[in-house]
Amino acid sequence: SSSPRASKTCAVSPLSPGQPPAARIAGVLYGLGAMLLATLVWSGLAVLAEPAALPVAAGMGWLVGWAYRYGAGRVDRAGEALAAFLSVVAVLSGSFLLVSFAVTQTSADAGAWSEPVRREYLRLFVEAPWFGAFSLLLALAGTGWALGLRRPRSSAAALAAEPECPLTRPGVL
């Protein structure tokens, strides 16, 4: 019989099966809700004070990552990627809302999907790439913080710190 610590470690081991589909779906649904909320808050802050919105991107990522983790429970690598993707979409869609609002305020005939909006949106990332890139990096950092990602340990240190998992011993399966 293995100790509770060993079985708990094996349950979250990278060699164990991934997240159950229901948990991943719950994580995505919670993450989508947080993404929509973060998009609206971020674009609203950017309309009011554009420079102040940049650090909020980290909070957006944290909120989306936290919501994904809350919905999914244990998060595997695929879940981390999904949460990061949702955070990036939140920043991009928040930027699009900001640009749409700014263009429609200056041009009465411009709709949300008009050519001037698309042109201005691309200009935001071409002429000021630091804003787009930095906001995406901050959102990803916030997501990593919420998911509890840390710098990986060296493989020797990781192997020494992990108790042996009975499922990965030769001859068990």
Side-chain angles (χ1 to χ4, degrees):
S1 165
S2 63
S3 71
R5 177 173 162 79
S7 64
K8 186 176 183 183
T9 302
C10 292
V12 296
S13 166
L15 299 174
S16 67
Q19 251 177 330
R24 187 164 287 136
I25 290 169
V28 168
L29 290 176
Y30 276 84
L32 280 171
M35 182 195 78
L36 291 173
L37 176 66
T39 295
L40 293 174
V41 168
W42 193 69
S43 59
L45 281 173
V47 165
L48 296 175
E50 187 174 326
L54 194 58
V56 176
M60 291 174 67
W62 181 87
L63 179 65
V64 171
W66 178 86
Y68 184 92
R69 185 178 200 149
Y70 181 82
R74 183 175 62 88
V75 179
D76 62 358
R77 291 287 181 205
E80 292 168 357
L82 284 169
F85 175 75
L86 291 173
S87 296
V88 167
V89 170
V91 170
L92 294 176
S93 57
S95 299
F96 188 78
L97 283 177
L98 167 66
V99 169
S100 295
F101 179 79
V103 170
T104 55
Q105 292 300 310
T106 59
S107 175
D109 60 337
W113 298 102
S114 66
E115 181 61 31
V117 170
R118 289 192 300 267
R119 188 174 45 248
E120 193 65 26
Y121 183 67
L122 290 176
R123 193 177 70 76
L124 174 69
F125 287 96
V126 172
E127 289 185 12
W130 63 268
F131 182 82
F134 198 56
S135 59
L136 291 174
L137 287 174
L138 284 172
L140 291 173
T143 304
W145 181 39
L147 295 176
L149 302 180
R150 289 170 182 70
R151 197 173 114 218
R153 298 180 290 180
S154 71
S155 58
L159 288 175
E162 294 293 323
E164 184 180 350
C165 180
L167 298 175
T168 59
R169 283 194 309 238
V172 170
L173 295 176

